[in-house]
Amino acid sequence: MKNTGQRTRAKHGGSSKLGSSLKDNLDKLKTDLHNSSDLEIRPIGSQLAPEVPMTAVYIGELTDETTLNEYILRPLMSTILRTEARNEKLVHIILERVVEVGAAYITTDIDECIQRLLDGYCLLLVQGAACGLLIHISNMEGRQVSEPTAETVLRGPQQSFNENIGTNINLVRQIIRSPSLHIDSLQVGSETRTQVALLYLDDVAEPEIVNTIRSRIEALQISSVLESGYIESLIQDRIYTPFPTMKNTERPDAIAGGILEGQIAIMVDGSPFVLLAPVTLFQLFHTPEDYYNRFDIASFLRLIRFTAFFISMTLPALYIAVTTFHQEMLPTTLLITLAAQREGIPFPGLVEALLMELTFEVLREAGVRMPRAIGPAISIVGALVLGQAAVEAGIVSAGMVMVVSFTAICNFVIPQLNIAISARLIRFTFMLLAGVFGFIGIVSGILTVLIHLAGLESFGMPYMSPIAPFDWSKMKDNFIRAPMKYLLKQKAGNVINRRSKQE
C-alpha cells in the first residue's frame, strides 16, 4: 500500500510531527490541504487559560457544528480552572475535564491530524504544545437502513446494509451478540484511505483463511477503493474465470449466517454490498429464506434454482442444435410445426438466436440504466413489441422468441447476480458450439466447464465442495435442505471440529 505519510512529509520538509508554534502548525495544515476553501480555522479564547492562544481546525462540510459548539467550544470557553499548566499538560486537562465528546485523543503526528480532519474530526491546537487534540464530531451524510432492493425475500428480516461501515457492523452485531465476533480494521487506498473490516468468529473461522485474506488486502497497492468490487477482483484466487469465488450480499442475516458457519465477511466503507469468503458454487444458490421456510419448500425452491441455472446456460444452444443438426430427435408433429414457423426466415438458427439474445441483453441493460420510474415499463413493452414485430416481419420464428424469453426468465431465478451473469456469458459460448458442432459441441462445452469448476478454489476451499471432493455429511445442506434438527446437529459438529483443530 502506498505510504501517504511519506509523500506528506516531503511537502513540509521531512517533519511529520507537530511543533510548539501554533502558527507553524496551522501553516503546515493549510499547505498540506492546499488551502481548501472548506477548511475552517477558528481561534478560541478560553477562561481555562486566557493568555494562551488556542485554535479549532475542522472541515466544515464533514463535521457536525452543533456538536462542536455545544460540547467543545462552549465548555472550553466557559470553564474556569486555576492552573499553571502549559503546553502538553494543558491539552491533557482539556481532554480529561472539558471536552464532553467520548471519541477524543491526543496525537503528535501531523499526518494523522490531516487524515482525521478528512474523516470529520476537529483538531484543537494550543500555543506551546507540540501535540493536538483530535475530537470525533463527524457528520457524514448517509442513507438510512432500508429494505433490500437486490435480494428481496417474502419471509425474513427486511433490513439491508447501507454505505456506512459503522452502521453495517452494528447491524451484524445486533444479530451475533457473541464476544467471539472479531473485527479487524484495515485501510486501503493511498488517496481514499478506505476503511475495510474483516468480521469472523475467532473460534469458528479457519485461521489460515483469515490470515490469507488479511495479507492479500494489506498487500494491495492501489490509489482508491470506491466499492467492494475493487477488493473482490484484487484478492480472488483466479482472475480469468466467469464464476465468482466470493459472495456479495446486502442482507445482514445472510452475512451473519455465513459468519456463524466459519466464513469471513469483508466490509468496505462506502459500499452496501458485503463480501463473504470462502464460498462454494452451491452456496451461491442458497438464500436466507431457505432457512426460514419448511425444509420441503426450501428444497423444492433450491432444485428450481439449479434447474433454472442449467436451462439459462443451455436452452438456446439445445434449440439451435436440434433445429440445425438433429431434427430426427423431435416428434414429427413438433418438427412440422417448427419447420412451418421457420419457413421464410432468412437466417440460420445460430444467427437467429444470437440476434434475439443480443436484443434481450440490450433491453435488459436499458431497463437497468433508465430512470427507475420508467425502466421496467420500457423493458417489458420493448420486449413485447420487438418480439411481436420480429415474428410478423419474418426475421425470427415464434419458437425462438419463446426459447429466448424463457431463458431470460430462468436467469432471473438465480439469487446471486454475479453467478447469473456467468450463465449469460457461458450461454453465448454454448450457442456458438451448438451452431458449429451440434450436440457434440454442447457436451464438450459442459465438460470443459465442469473441468474448470473442479480446478477452482476459493481461498483454499474447493469450489465444487462437497461434490468434489465428495463429503456425504455436508450433502444435507447442498442441493436440498434437510430438516432443521438434523441441519443444526451437522453445523454444531462442524463448529466442534473446527474448535478442536484450533486447540
Side-chain angles (χ1 to χ4, degrees):
M1 189 164 51
K2 295 180 180 178
N3 193 329
T4 307
Q6 292 179 356
R7 183 181 55 192
T8 306
R9 283 193 291 273
K11 293 180 180 178
H12 45 71
S15 174
S16 65
K17 300 295 182 181
L18 290 168
S20 58
S21 171
L22 178 60
K23 181 179 181 303
D24 291 345
N25 290 334
L26 293 176
D27 289 341
K28 291 177 183 178
L29 292 173
K30 290 178 182 178
T31 301
D32 290 337
L33 291 171
H34 301 282
N35 292 307
S36 180
S37 60
D38 58 354
L39 179 64
E40 304 287 345
I41 298 177
R42 183 170 177 176
I44 303 171
S46 174
Q47 296 188 41
L48 181 64
E51 70 281 7
V52 181
M54 304 180 189
T55 301
V57 185
Y58 58 95
I59 296 179
E61 301 301 324
L62 300 180
T63 56
D64 185 352
E65 295 199 13
T66 302
T67 303
L68 174 66
N69 294 327
E70 292 294 330
Y71 300 103
I72 299 174
L73 299 184
R74 183 172 297 176
L76 188 60
M77 290 187 288
S78 61
T79 299
I80 300 177
L81 184 64
R82 301 299 179 183
T83 179
E84 297 298 327
R86 293 293 182 268
N87 304 335
E88 285 83 357
K89 291 184 179 180
L90 183 57
V91 178
H92 283 83
I93 291 174
I94 295 173
L95 173 62
E96 295 171 1
R97 306 185 186 181
V98 179
V99 173
E100 300 179 7
V101 178
Y105 65 97
I106 296 173
T107 183
T108 61
D109 193 295
I110 194 169
D111 300 332
E112 184 176 8
C113 293
I114 294 170
Q115 182 56 46
R116 290 308 181 186
L117 286 173
L118 296 173
D119 290 339
Y121 279 65
C122 171
L123 173 63
L124 182 63
L125 296 174
V126 177
Q127 173 63 35
C131 63
L133 178 59
L134 287 168
I135 310 164
H136 184 259
I137 53 171
S138 175
N139 185 33
M140 302 289 188
E141 296 293 335
R143 183 167 55 93
Q144 297 297 317
V145 176
S146 59
E147 294 185 9
T149 56
E151 299 175 82
T152 58
V153 296
L154 297 178
R155 181 176 181 177
Q158 301 297 320
Q159 288 182 323
S160 66
F161 292 119
N162 62 16
E163 288 74 18
N164 187 289
I165 191 171
T167 302
N168 295 343
I169 292 175
N170 184 38
L171 289 173
V172 175
R173 279 207 177 273
Q174 290 179 14
I175 302 174
I176 305 178
R177 305 182 183 185
S178 168
S180 298
L181 179 61
H182 191 78
I183 300 174
D184 287 347
S185 294
L186 308 169
Q187 278 193 339
V188 183
S190 59
E191 298 296 337
T192 60
R193 305 287 289 178
T194 305
Q195 185 178 358
V196 178
L198 304 182
L199 286 76
Y200 57 92
L201 287 179
D202 262 333
D203 53 353
V204 178
E206 295 286 350
E208 295 82 4
I209 299 178
V210 175
N211 294 333
T212 298
I213 295 176
R214 185 191 296 114
S215 61
R216 290 185 185 181
I217 294 177
E218 290 175 342
L220 293 179
Q221 295 184 355
I222 185 173
S223 62
S224 62
V225 175
L226 304 180
E227 214 274 336
S228 59
Y230 283 52
I231 303 295
E232 180 180 5
S233 60
L234 290 172
I235 69 171
Q236 63 185 353
D237 291 85
R238 293 276 291 273
I239 299 176
Y240 300 106
T241 176
F243 294 96
T245 54
M246 302 177 71
K247 183 178 181 179
N248 68 80
T249 178
E250 62 175 348
R251 297 189 59 86
D253 55 336
I255 292 298
I259 292 175
L260 292 170
E261 293 183 0
Q263 294 174 294
I264 296 93
I266 306 173
M267 289 186 178
V268 178
D269 194 22
S271 173
F273 289 91
V274 179
L275 304 176
L276 203 60
V279 296
T280 65
L281 173 67
F282 308 103
Q283 289 175 342
L284 297 173
F285 294 89
H286 299 175
T287 67
E289 199 172 16
D290 291 345
Y291 304 96
Y292 308 147
N293 289 321
R294 286 173 48 87
F295 76 96
D296 48 356
I297 299 175
S299 300
F300 175 69
L301 294 177
R302 278 190 186 178
L303 293 175
I304 287 180
R305 294 186 205 120
F306 285 110
T307 304
F309 176 71
F310 183 78
I311 291 175
S312 67
M313 285 195 303
T314 60
L315 183 59
L318 291 172
Y319 183 84
I320 294 170
V322 168
T323 56
T324 305
F325 296 100
H326 311 287
Q327 297 91 342
E328 68 278 0
M329 296 186 65
L330 295 175
T332 304
T333 305
L334 179 58
L335 179 60
I336 294 174
T337 302
L338 293 177
Q341 291 179 2
R342 289 193 50 79
E343 186 177 358
I345 302 298
F347 305 112
L350 175 60
V351 176
E352 184 184 5
L354 288 175
L355 181 64
M356 287 304 300
E357 282 290 347
L358 290 174
T359 302
F360 271 82
E361 291 295 332
V362 171
L363 288 172
R364 190 202 308 263
E365 189 68 13
V368 174
R369 305 304 166 195
M370 293 287 289
R372 186 170 298 179
I374 62 175
I378 291 295
S379 59
I380 295 173
V381 173
L384 292 174
V385 171
L386 288 177
Q388 184 66 25
V391 173
E392 292 180 356
I395 299 176
V396 297
S397 63
M400 179 60 72
V401 174
M402 290 182 59
V403 168
V404 173
S405 301
F406 186 66
T407 302
I409 293 172
C410 288
N411 196 259
F412 289 127
V413 175
I414 305 171
Q416 280 286 310
L417 178 61
N418 45 13
I419 194 68
I421 295 175
S422 301
R424 288 157 59 184
L425 294 176
I426 295 172
R427 182 192 312 154
F428 285 96
T429 304
F430 282 2
M431 289 165 58
L432 293 174
L433 291 173
V436 177
F437 303 106
F439 276 158
I440 296 176
I442 297 176
V443 174
S444 301
I446 293 174
L447 290 176
T448 302
V449 169
L450 290 176
I451 293 171
H452 175 71
L453 289 173
L456 284 180
E457 287 187 348
S458 176
F459 298 96
M461 175 182 290
Y463 197 58
M464 289 292 286
S465 174
I467 299 297
F470 185 77
D471 188 350
W472 176 255
S473 64
K474 296 181 180 179
M475 293 298 292
K476 297 177 182 177
D477 190 22
N478 201 42
F479 292 106
I480 62 172
R481 202 216 83 189
M484 188 61 71
K485 63 178 182 178
Y486 301 113
L487 201 59
L488 293 177
K489 289 180 181 179
Q490 174 191 328
K491 293 183 178 181
N494 293 338
V495 171
I496 292 173
N497 291 334
R498 291 195 187 100
R499 290 176 177 174
S500 61
K501 288 180 181 179
Q502 295 177 11
E503 292 174 357

